[in-house]
mmCIF file of all heavy atoms in Angstrom:
data_model
loop_
_atom_site.group_PDB
_atom_site.id
_atom_site.type_symbol
_atom_site.label_atom_id
_atom_site.label_comp_id
_atom_site.label_asym_id
_atom_site.label_seq_id
_atom_site.Cartn_x
_atom_site.Cartn_y
_atom_site.Cartn_z
ATOM 1 N N LEU A 1196 114.856 119.026 90.962
ATOM 2 C CA LEU A 1196 113.705 118.163 90.833
ATOM 3 C C LEU A 1196 113.785 117.077 91.941
ATOM 4 O O LEU A 1196 112.641 116.660 92.413
ATOM 5 C CB LEU A 1196 113.670 117.484 89.507
ATOM 6 C CG LEU A 1196 113.316 118.412 88.267
ATOM 7 C CD1 LEU A 1196 113.409 117.570 86.974
ATOM 8 C CD2 LEU A 1196 111.906 118.968 88.464
ATOM 9 N N ILE A 1197 114.922 116.669 92.286
ATOM 10 C CA ILE A 1197 115.090 115.691 93.309
ATOM 11 C C ILE A 1197 114.620 116.305 94.600
ATOM 12 O O ILE A 1197 113.887 115.588 95.442
ATOM 13 C CB ILE A 1197 116.488 115.295 93.508
ATOM 14 C CG1 ILE A 1197 116.939 114.389 92.211
ATOM 15 C CG2 ILE A 1197 116.720 114.284 94.693
ATOM 16 C CD1 ILE A 1197 116.264 113.209 91.912
ATOM 17 N N VAL A 1198 115.039 117.488 95.000
ATOM 18 C CA VAL A 1198 114.549 118.159 96.220
ATOM 19 C C VAL A 1198 113.117 118.326 96.198
ATOM 20 O O VAL A 1198 112.388 118.105 97.188
ATOM 21 C CB VAL A 1198 115.309 119.474 96.372
ATOM 22 C CG1 VAL A 1198 114.747 120.281 97.607
ATOM 23 C CG2 VAL A 1198 116.742 119.204 96.599
ATOM 24 N N GLY A 1199 112.533 118.691 95.027
ATOM 25 C CA GLY A 1199 111.028 118.824 94.978
ATOM 26 C C GLY A 1199 110.276 117.647 95.245
ATOM 27 O O GLY A 1199 109.335 117.614 95.943
ATOM 28 N N ALA A 1200 110.810 116.453 94.659
ATOM 29 C CA ALA A 1200 110.195 115.157 95.021
ATOM 30 C C ALA A 1200 110.249 114.762 96.381
ATOM 31 O O ALA A 1200 109.370 114.203 96.894
ATOM 32 C CB ALA A 1200 110.881 114.210 93.947
ATOM 33 N N MET A 1201 111.402 115.074 97.025
ATOM 34 C CA MET A 1201 111.547 114.777 98.446
ATOM 35 C C MET A 1201 110.375 115.513 99.315
ATOM 36 O O MET A 1201 109.856 114.986 100.242
ATOM 37 C CB MET A 1201 112.920 115.155 98.892
ATOM 38 C CG MET A 1201 114.058 114.267 98.445
ATOM 39 S SD MET A 1201 115.634 114.917 98.956
ATOM 40 C CE MET A 1201 116.812 113.528 98.547
ATOM 41 N N ALA A 1202 110.243 116.798 98.883
ATOM 42 C CA ALA A 1202 109.309 117.601 99.578
ATOM 43 C C ALA A 1202 107.868 117.125 99.469
ATOM 44 O O ALA A 1202 106.987 117.111 100.366
ATOM 45 C CB ALA A 1202 109.406 119.001 99.209
ATOM 46 N N VAL A 1203 107.547 116.556 98.255
ATOM 47 C CA VAL A 1203 106.080 116.153 97.951
ATOM 48 C C VAL A 1203 105.842 114.771 98.582
ATOM 49 O O VAL A 1203 104.699 114.600 98.981
ATOM 50 C CB VAL A 1203 106.037 115.999 96.401
ATOM 51 C CG1 VAL A 1203 104.704 115.394 95.987
ATOM 52 C CG2 VAL A 1203 106.037 117.461 95.774
ATOM 53 N N GLY A 1204 106.902 113.886 98.707
ATOM 54 C CA GLY A 1204 106.609 112.613 99.275
ATOM 55 C C GLY A 1204 106.063 112.622 100.580
ATOM 56 O O GLY A 1204 106.534 113.270 101.503
ATOM 57 N N PRO A 1205 104.973 111.752 100.893
ATOM 58 C CA PRO A 1205 104.191 111.710 102.106
ATOM 59 C C PRO A 1205 104.721 110.580 103.056
ATOM 60 O O PRO A 1205 104.010 110.092 103.971
ATOM 61 C CB PRO A 1205 102.835 111.510 101.751
ATOM 62 C CG PRO A 1205 102.955 110.666 100.555
ATOM 63 C CD PRO A 1205 104.223 111.051 99.842
ATOM 64 N N GLU A 1206 105.885 109.950 102.735
ATOM 65 C CA GLU A 1206 106.186 108.584 103.339
ATOM 66 C C GLU A 1206 106.574 108.774 104.730
ATOM 67 O O GLU A 1206 106.752 107.688 105.533
ATOM 68 C CB GLU A 1206 107.294 107.938 102.549
ATOM 69 C CG GLU A 1206 108.750 108.533 102.702
ATOM 70 C CD GLU A 1206 108.957 109.768 101.813
ATOM 71 O OE1 GLU A 1206 107.982 110.324 101.111
ATOM 72 O OE2 GLU A 1206 109.954 110.264 101.692
ATOM 73 N N PHE A 1207 106.895 109.906 105.307
ATOM 74 C CA PHE A 1207 107.225 110.019 106.713
ATOM 75 C C PHE A 1207 106.133 109.731 107.647
ATOM 76 O O PHE A 1207 106.327 109.267 108.717
ATOM 77 C CB PHE A 1207 107.809 111.423 106.990
ATOM 78 C CG PHE A 1207 108.476 111.459 108.372
ATOM 79 C CD1 PHE A 1207 109.732 110.996 108.539
ATOM 80 C CD2 PHE A 1207 107.818 112.021 109.453
ATOM 81 C CE1 PHE A 1207 110.301 111.074 109.735
ATOM 82 C CE2 PHE A 1207 108.359 111.994 110.778
ATOM 83 C CZ PHE A 1207 109.672 111.649 110.898
ATOM 84 N N GLY A 1208 104.893 109.936 107.111
ATOM 85 C CA GLY A 1208 103.684 109.561 108.008
ATOM 86 C C GLY A 1208 103.714 108.166 108.453
ATOM 87 O O GLY A 1208 103.632 107.812 109.632
ATOM 88 N N PRO A 1209 103.679 107.179 107.555
ATOM 89 C CA PRO A 1209 103.813 105.764 107.888
ATOM 90 C C PRO A 1209 105.086 105.385 108.749
ATOM 91 O O PRO A 1209 104.965 104.510 109.550
ATOM 92 C CB PRO A 1209 103.758 105.090 106.527
ATOM 93 C CG PRO A 1209 103.111 105.963 105.572
ATOM 94 C CD PRO A 1209 103.487 107.366 106.001
ATOM 95 N N LEU A 1210 106.173 105.966 108.354
ATOM 96 C CA LEU A 1210 107.375 105.761 109.092
ATOM 97 C C LEU A 1210 107.187 106.182 110.583
ATOM 98 O O LEU A 1210 107.560 105.417 111.403
ATOM 99 C CB LEU A 1210 108.540 106.437 108.485
ATOM 100 C CG LEU A 1210 108.965 105.979 107.168
ATOM 101 C CD1 LEU A 1210 110.025 106.904 106.578
ATOM 102 C CD2 LEU A 1210 109.549 104.552 107.402
ATOM 103 N N ALA A 1211 106.629 107.376 110.777
ATOM 104 C CA ALA A 1211 106.256 107.813 112.149
ATOM 105 C C ALA A 1211 105.304 106.884 112.830
ATOM 106 O O ALA A 1211 105.416 106.654 114.019
ATOM 107 C CB ALA A 1211 105.847 109.240 112.135
ATOM 108 N N GLY A 1212 104.273 106.437 112.031
ATOM 109 C CA GLY A 1212 103.314 105.425 112.601
ATOM 110 C C GLY A 1212 104.001 104.173 113.147
ATOM 111 O O GLY A 1212 103.512 103.772 114.143
ATOM 112 N N LEU A 1213 104.939 103.707 112.451
ATOM 113 C CA LEU A 1213 105.625 102.506 112.784
ATOM 114 C C LEU A 1213 106.436 102.758 114.074
ATOM 115 O O LEU A 1213 106.364 101.858 114.965
ATOM 116 C CB LEU A 1213 106.530 101.959 111.661
ATOM 117 C CG LEU A 1213 106.058 101.069 110.577
ATOM 118 C CD1 LEU A 1213 107.150 100.782 109.592
ATOM 119 C CD2 LEU A 1213 105.562 99.770 111.260
ATOM 120 N N CYS A 1214 107.072 103.870 114.182
ATOM 121 C CA CYS A 1214 107.882 104.150 115.342
ATOM 122 C C CYS A 1214 106.856 104.224 116.552
ATOM 123 O O CYS A 1214 107.115 103.801 117.642
ATOM 124 C CB CYS A 1214 108.604 105.443 115.237
ATOM 125 S SG CYS A 1214 109.749 105.414 113.856
ATOM 126 N N THR A 1215 105.780 105.044 116.380
ATOM 127 C CA THR A 1215 104.786 105.159 117.468
ATOM 128 C C THR A 1215 104.227 103.828 117.837
ATOM 129 O O THR A 1215 103.958 103.556 119.026
ATOM 130 C CB THR A 1215 103.687 106.109 116.990
ATOM 131 O OG1 THR A 1215 104.264 107.369 116.547
ATOM 132 C CG2 THR A 1215 102.638 106.355 118.134
ATOM 133 N N ALA A 1216 103.864 102.987 116.897
ATOM 134 C CA ALA A 1216 103.242 101.678 117.149
ATOM 135 C C ALA A 1216 104.126 100.860 117.924
ATOM 136 O O ALA A 1216 103.718 100.148 118.963
ATOM 137 C CB ALA A 1216 102.931 101.077 115.898
ATOM 138 N N MET A 1217 105.501 100.872 117.688
ATOM 139 C CA MET A 1217 106.496 100.004 118.570
ATOM 140 C C MET A 1217 106.570 100.522 119.882
ATOM 141 O O MET A 1217 106.629 99.695 120.786
ATOM 142 C CB MET A 1217 107.759 100.025 117.708
ATOM 143 C CG MET A 1217 107.751 99.158 116.509
ATOM 144 S SD MET A 1217 109.330 98.783 115.802
ATOM 145 C CE MET A 1217 109.673 100.401 114.955
ATOM 146 N N VAL A 1218 106.468 101.786 120.093
ATOM 147 C CA VAL A 1218 106.686 102.359 121.463
ATOM 148 C C VAL A 1218 105.488 102.181 122.220
ATOM 149 O O VAL A 1218 105.280 101.860 123.459
ATOM 150 C CB VAL A 1218 107.129 103.903 121.310
ATOM 151 C CG1 VAL A 1218 107.140 104.523 122.818
ATOM 152 C CG2 VAL A 1218 108.410 103.973 120.860
ATOM 153 N N ARG A 1219 104.270 102.350 121.558
ATOM 154 C CA ARG A 1219 102.929 102.317 122.219
ATOM 155 C C ARG A 1219 102.306 100.882 122.235
ATOM 156 O O ARG A 1219 101.338 100.634 122.769
ATOM 157 C CB ARG A 1219 101.867 103.295 121.499
ATOM 158 C CG ARG A 1219 102.362 104.634 121.565
ATOM 159 C CD ARG A 1219 101.949 105.338 122.842
ATOM 160 N NE ARG A 1219 100.605 105.606 122.962
ATOM 161 C CZ ARG A 1219 99.857 106.049 124.038
ATOM 162 N NH1 ARG A 1219 100.644 106.252 125.069
ATOM 163 N NH2 ARG A 1219 98.601 106.200 124.065
ATOM 164 N N ARG A 1220 103.097 99.959 121.663
ATOM 165 C CA ARG A 1220 102.679 98.603 121.445
ATOM 166 C C ARG A 1220 101.239 98.505 120.900
ATOM 167 O O ARG A 1220 100.341 97.968 121.433
ATOM 168 C CB ARG A 1220 102.616 97.897 122.826
ATOM 169 C CG ARG A 1220 104.106 97.840 123.391
ATOM 170 C CD ARG A 1220 104.057 97.142 124.839
ATOM 171 N NE ARG A 1220 105.354 97.214 125.434
ATOM 172 C CZ ARG A 1220 105.694 96.700 126.609
ATOM 173 N NH1 ARG A 1220 104.720 96.223 127.382
ATOM 174 N NH2 ARG A 1220 106.989 96.790 127.145
ATOM 175 N N ALA A 1221 101.081 99.122 119.639
ATOM 176 C CA ALA A 1221 99.883 99.207 118.930
ATOM 177 C C ALA A 1221 99.994 98.317 117.679
ATOM 178 O O ALA A 1221 100.345 98.907 116.735
ATOM 179 C CB ALA A 1221 99.503 100.662 118.652
ATOM 180 N N PRO A 1222 99.633 97.140 117.664
ATOM 181 C CA PRO A 1222 99.895 96.252 116.486
ATOM 182 C C PRO A 1222 99.064 96.751 115.232
ATOM 183 O O PRO A 1222 99.445 96.538 114.189
ATOM 184 C CB PRO A 1222 99.490 94.823 116.940
ATOM 185 C CG PRO A 1222 98.694 94.996 118.161
ATOM 186 C CD PRO A 1222 99.239 96.306 118.806
ATOM 187 N N ARG A 1223 97.816 97.202 115.545
ATOM 188 C CA ARG A 1223 96.987 97.684 114.446
ATOM 189 C C ARG A 1223 97.618 98.805 113.733
ATOM 190 O O ARG A 1223 97.626 98.957 112.436
ATOM 191 C CB ARG A 1223 95.628 98.068 114.977
ATOM 192 C CG ARG A 1223 94.801 96.914 115.376
ATOM 193 C CD ARG A 1223 93.447 97.301 115.659
ATOM 194 N NE ARG A 1223 92.515 96.184 116.087
ATOM 195 C CZ ARG A 1223 91.226 96.166 116.460
ATOM 196 N NH1 ARG A 1223 90.667 97.450 116.441
ATOM 197 N NH2 ARG A 1223 90.650 95.142 116.688
ATOM 198 N N LEU A 1224 98.193 99.839 114.430
ATOM 199 C CA LEU A 1224 98.812 100.949 113.824
ATOM 200 C C LEU A 1224 100.161 100.477 113.145
ATOM 201 O O LEU A 1224 100.324 101.087 111.986
ATOM 202 C CB LEU A 1224 99.242 102.016 114.946
ATOM 203 C CG LEU A 1224 99.961 103.252 114.415
ATOM 204 C CD1 LEU A 1224 99.121 104.002 113.399
ATOM 205 C CD2 LEU A 1224 100.245 104.103 115.679
ATOM 206 N N ALA A 1225 100.726 99.497 113.656
ATOM 207 C CA ALA A 1225 102.018 99.076 112.968
ATOM 208 C C ALA A 1225 101.613 98.400 111.740
ATOM 209 O O ALA A 1225 102.251 98.561 110.621
ATOM 210 C CB ALA A 1225 102.678 98.013 113.878
ATOM 211 N N LEU A 1226 100.536 97.600 111.725
ATOM 212 C CA LEU A 1226 100.145 96.991 110.453
ATOM 213 C C LEU A 1226 99.571 97.921 109.450
ATOM 214 O O LEU A 1226 100.007 97.838 108.179
ATOM 215 C CB LEU A 1226 99.107 95.913 110.854
ATOM 216 C CG LEU A 1226 98.511 95.085 109.526
ATOM 217 C CD1 LEU A 1226 99.571 94.317 108.885
ATOM 218 C CD2 LEU A 1226 97.340 94.243 110.039
ATOM 219 N N ARG A 1227 98.900 98.868 109.829
ATOM 220 C CA ARG A 1227 98.412 100.011 108.924
ATOM 221 C C ARG A 1227 99.605 100.707 108.403
ATOM 222 O O ARG A 1227 99.580 100.931 107.020
ATOM 223 C CB ARG A 1227 97.487 100.937 109.690
ATOM 224 C CG ARG A 1227 96.943 102.089 108.906
ATOM 225 C CD ARG A 1227 96.157 103.120 109.754
ATOM 226 N NE ARG A 1227 94.984 102.473 110.279
ATOM 227 C CZ ARG A 1227 93.844 102.522 109.721
ATOM 228 N NH1 ARG A 1227 93.701 103.324 108.660
ATOM 229 N NH2 ARG A 1227 92.754 102.044 110.301
#
Side-chain angles (χ1 to χ4, degrees):
L1196 291 177
I1197 295 297
V1198 172
M1201 289 175 171
V1203 173
E1206 72 280 5
F1207 191 79
L1210 291 170
L1213 271 175
C1214 299
T1215 304
M1217 285 189 282
V1218 174
R1219 300 279 285 172
R1220 298 179 182 177
R1223 289 186 179 180
L1224 178 58
L1226 181 61
R1227 177 188 293 266

